[in-house]
Amino acid sequence: MTDELFSERLLLRPLTLDDVDDYFRVYGDARTWQHLPGRRHTNRGESARAIERSMLSRRTAGFGHCAVVLREPVGALRAGMFVGSAGAAMLEFDAWNLGYRFAPEAWGNGLATEAAGLALAAAQSVRPETPVTARVLTNNRSSVRVLERLGLELAWQGASSATAQGPDDTTHLERLVFADRALDDATLEAVIALG
């Protein structure tokens, strides 16, 4: 089981329910869901359930999503500040799902790449036989660049079952699936089906 992860600027530590207010501040902010507004958390309960799923992944698979805390100031951001989450959750069909989300004030500092790199390495270390996947919408160019910088390969591109779900937008979106290795057909189909 992986506990705390460190880089020069970041500490990634297991999420707990003590983080729910900070987590909701990020996941409830419409700006962090501009590419998929319908998935924004609208109450603390949604954030608490997401943290509980991460805690379950950590207990059962050895890793989950982590709180991302600054170890040193970054621009106007202070040391010790919760700036988002990053990690990997074990999916039901034995594949990791890499993910990250950051407060808007933390954007543009390379923190997503730094944190996602730590999370990718941790997932690969905890269960090296298990593929690490990541799903991203094509309209989220920043996240696509993060995955490319990490060296993940494009495994699939196509229409997503997710919709934008904005006030006037229910169009289907184009999704990309990245992975750290070639995926067998069953795993790829299961990742695609997640929407």
Side-chain angles (χ1 to χ4, degrees), residues 5-83:
L5 305 170
F6 298 93
S7 68
E8 183 177 330
R9 301 184 299 170
L10 300 177
L11 161 66
L12 273 66
R13 60 165 176 74
L15 281 165
T16 72
L17 290 174
D18 290 340
D19 296 311
V20 71
D21 290 331
D22 287 326
Y23 193 91
F24 180 60
R25 179 178 49 82
V26 174
Y27 281 72
D29 188 324
R31 295 172 295 173
T32 70
W33 290 99
Q34 62 186 328
H35 302 98
L36 193 57
R39 298 272 175 95
R40 181 177 70 88
H41 291 191
T42 58
N43 60 67
R44 289 177 77 251
E46 288 178 275
S47 293
R49 286 186 294 281
I51 291 171
E52 288 169 346
R53 285 190 300 273
S54 177
M55 293 165 61
L56 177 63
S57 179
R58 182 171 300 282
R59 282 191 308 274
T60 60
F63 190 54
H65 282 263
C66 300
V68 179
V69 178
L70 294 178
R71 295 182 66 199
E72 62 181 43
V74 175
L77 306 174
R78 69 186 188 291
M81 183 177 181
F82 180 108
V83 292

